[in-house]
Amino acid sequence: MVERPPTWRGQPYVLTYLLLDREPSAGDLVALQRWATEAGMPNARAIPPSLLEWSSLFNPRFFDAVAAEHDDVAERRLELSAAAAMEPQRLARFWLESVLFLAGVTLSAAIVQSRHSPGTIASKYDRLWEAGSLATGDDVAPELAPLDLRAAVKALDEDAALATVDRLLAIRRLFLASLATLAPPGGHEADGTQVETMAARPLPEDLAGRFGFVDDLRRDCGDGLRAVIVYGSSVSSEDFADYDVLVVVDEPETLLRRIAGQSPTWRGKELNVGVYSPDELVAMQRLSGDNLAEYGVCVWGEALVVRKPAAPLLARNFSFGVVRQRQQLGMLSRAISEPVGDGPDDRRNLHEYFVKIPANVAKGTFGALGERRSKEDVHAWMRERIGFDAPAAQASVVAGDPVLPLATASLATGAVLRALNDQVGIVGPHRERHEESENP
C-alpha cells in the first residue's frame, strides 16, 4: 500500500499494488481483484511480472520504487535496442510525455462529442497535477515549472461557476502548453525527425466519395481553415464505425466553441473531430506514435506534419501500450469495486474503449513499421498470435457484465506487446542480466 501526498483534491490518495509471482489468466485476475475488494484494499492494482518488467523502461520511477523494497526486482530490468536507447533520466520524461499525450489527445472529443463527466475532468486534473509535481524536486521536467500547473489546477477546481466548455478549454490550454514545452515544434534535427508538408491530392478510386463531409467542415470553419486530414479505419478498412478527422485551423478554440456538443455525423457515422492550430498539430505529432503522412489522407488544404524514425516510434508505441495496460487494470479494479448501475454512467463507453486497446496498440505499432493494416487484419493477427478475439470481447462488454472482458483485454494488451517485441526486437534484457544468463 502506498499513500501519496495530497493533491488538488486536498487529501492523501492510497493505492494498493498486488505484485504477482506469475502471469495470471483472466479468471485469476478477476478473482484476485475481487479478493482485494472484499478485503477492503483501496484502489487495488494487479501488476503481472511482465508489466513490472516493461515498467523498467516505460514507468521507471515505479519500477525503481518497487526494486528498492524487493531485492529480486532489479534483475528484471530491460533495455531498449541501440537505435532507441535513452538515458535513465530521459526514460522518466518519456513516460511523462506519453501520459500527457494520451490524456490530452482526447480533449477535442470531450468538447465536440460531450464525452466528459466529473470523473473525466478529475482525471485530467490528476495528470496535470502529476506533471506539475515532476516539474520540481526531481528534475524530470523542470521546464514545466513556469506553467505552475498545480496552481492552475487548484484555481480551476475552485471556480465552481465556470461553464463546462470554458473549463475543458482551459484544461486543453494547459495540456497543449505542457506538450509544446516538452516537445517544441522544430525542423530537421539530429535524431532524424523532420517536418514536412502534407497536402490534399486526388483520392484513390476506393476512397472517392467517402469523405463528403468536407464541405460542411469548410463552412463551419470559415476562412481560418488550413487542412482536413482523415485517418483510421475510414481510410484503411471497408467496414468502419466512424470517421477520425483532424481539422487544422488558425483559431481552434473559436471552432471548438462553435461545434461544442454537436456530435457531428456523416451518413449515420460519427465524426471524431480533433481540432488543432498548425503549431499545436506539429507539437502533438512530435509526441505521437505515428507518422501521420503515412497512414492519414489530407482531403483538403495542407498542413505541416512530423516524420520520425522507426525506432523512436516503436518505443513510443510500446510506452503507450504500457500506460494503457496500467489504465486497463485500474478500470478493472473500479468495475469490480463500483459496478455500473442501471442509470447513465460515462464508464459504459469507457469499458468498450478499453476493450479495444489491444487492437489500437497493435495497429499503432504496425503503423510505426510503415504497415497500414486494416482493422480486420489486426483482429485476425491477434486471434492467430495471442488468441484474443477483439470483436467478441467488444460484443461481450456491450451486452453485459464488463468485468471478464476487461480482464481479458488487459492481459491481451500485455500479450500484444510481447508478440510485437518478438517481431521487432526493440526491447531485450538489460545488458548485465543478459551477460549473467550467458555466463551462469
Side-chain angles (χ1 to χ4, degrees):
M1 285 182 161
V2 178
E3 182 175 305
R4 294 188 175 180
T7 65
W8 60 273
R9 301 170 189 265
Q11 56 191 7
Y13 183 64
V14 179
L15 285 165
T16 306
Y17 293 110
L18 308 172
L19 304 177
L20 312 189
D21 63 359
R22 61 179 172 82
E23 295 300 317
S25 69
D28 292 336
L29 197 55
V30 171
L32 181 68
Q33 291 284 176
R34 290 197 190 283
W35 166 77
T37 297
E38 291 167 3
M41 298 180 184
N43 301 307
R45 304 286 189 273
I47 308 294
S50 57
L51 180 56
L52 183 60
E53 291 185 355
W54 289 118
S55 297
S56 66
L57 293 174
F58 303 120
N59 193 352
R61 296 170 70 252
F62 172 75
F63 180 88
D64 291 344
V66 176
E69 295 190 3
H70 299 270
D71 294 338
D72 62 335
V73 167
E75 64 189 27
R76 302 184 194 179
R77 191 180 299 275
L78 303 175
E79 70 179 13
L80 288 163
S81 67
M86 303 177 206
E87 296 297 322
Q89 184 176 350
R90 171 68 179 131
L91 286 172
R93 180 188 172 105
F94 196 67
W95 168 84
L96 177 62
E97 292 169 0
S98 296
V99 169
L100 287 178
F101 178 88
L102 291 172
V105 78
T106 61
L107 283 165
S108 287
I111 296 169
V112 178
Q113 273 82 23
S114 294
R115 292 179 186 163
H116 59 78
S117 69
T120 307
I121 291 172
S123 72
K124 306 303 183 191
Y125 287 168
D126 288 339
R127 301 290 80 78
L128 291 169
W129 185 276
E130 191 162 19
S133 298
L134 294 177
T136 60
D138 57 8
D139 296 328
V140 173
E143 60 271 54
L144 292 178
L147 297 178
D148 205 357
L149 293 171
R150 289 183 296 187
V153 167
K154 285 204 76 167
L156 282 173
D157 178 55
E158 292 169 357
D159 188 355
L162 192 64
T164 300
V165 170
D166 292 328
R167 188 179 305 278
L168 288 167
L169 287 172
I171 291 171
R172 179 184 183 276
R173 285 193 292 273
L174 292 173
F175 269 100
L176 288 170
S178 300
L179 293 169
T181 300
L182 292 172
H188 183 81
E189 298 186 5
D191 66 359
T193 299
Q194 300 181 52
V195 175
E196 59 187 48
T197 298
M198 188 174 182
R201 293 181 175 83
L203 291 174
E205 185 176 343
D206 59 327
L207 296 180
R210 184 174 290 187
F211 307 110
F213 53 79
V214 171
D215 289 339
D216 292 338
L217 283 176
R218 289 177 62 187
R219 183 184 65 250
D220 290 340
C221 296
D223 294 337
L225 180 65
R226 297 291 191 92
V228 178
I229 299 169
V230 292
Y231 63 98
S233 296
S234 66
V235 172
S236 62
S237 303
E238 284 297 322
D239 180 27
F240 57 96
D242 50 26
Y243 296 91
D244 294 310
V245 188
L246 291 174
V247 177
V248 186
V249 292
D250 290 334
E251 297 181 3
E253 287 197 13
T254 300
L255 177 59
L256 285 168
R257 287 183 185 279
R258 188 180 304 149
I259 63 176
Q262 289 189 5
S263 298
T265 61
W266 169 253
R267 293 181 175 173
K269 296 182 178 183
E270 192 172 48
L271 300 182
N272 293 317
V273 180
V275 182
Y276 299 99
S277 72
D279 285 347
E280 288 170 352
L281 180 66
V282 171
M284 294 293 283
Q285 281 288 294
R286 290 285 305 281
L287 295 171
S288 74
D290 55 63
N291 285 326
L292 185 58
E294 292 181 355
Y295 78 100
V297 175
C298 184
V299 292
W300 190 87
E302 64 180 34
L304 294 178
V305 295
V306 177
R307 183 177 296 276
K308 295 150 287 192
L313 277 182
L314 288 170
R316 183 72 71 187
N317 277 280
F318 276 59
S319 176
F320 288 165
V322 172
V323 171
R324 286 305 198 202
Q325 190 182 22
R326 283 285 295 266
Q327 292 172 339
Q328 285 175 301
L329 291 167
M331 182 60 68
L332 172 64
S333 175
R334 189 177 177 195
I336 289 174
S337 61
E338 304 173 23
V340 174
D342 293 331
D345 191 304
D346 64 302
R347 281 185 287 148
R348 294 183 188 275
N349 286 334
L350 280 176
H351 292 160
E352 188 176 359
Y353 169 76
F354 273 63
V355 169
K356 296 177 182 178
I357 283 175
N360 293 341
V361 172
K363 191 170 184 179
T365 308
F366 286 128
L369 295 170
E371 300 179 23
R372 186 188 288 184
R373 296 204 183 193
S374 69
K375 176 177 63 178
E376 295 78 13
D377 287 343
V378 171
H379 289 169
W381 179 86
M382 289 194 299
R383 281 192 296 269
E384 179 182 345
R385 291 297 300 272
I386 67 169
F388 177 63
D389 189 332
Q394 290 167 26
S396 243
V397 83
V398 170
D401 187 351
V403 169
L404 188 59
L406 284 171
T408 303
S410 67
L411 296 179
T413 298
V416 163
L417 290 171
R418 293 192 293 275
L420 289 169
N421 192 55
D422 287 344
Q423 180 173 332
V424 303
I426 194 73
V427 174
H430 192 270
R431 190 176 298 105
E432 293 177 2
R433 174 179 162 193
H434 182 66
E435 289 170 353
E436 288 174 3
S437 67
E438 290 186 336
N439 299 285

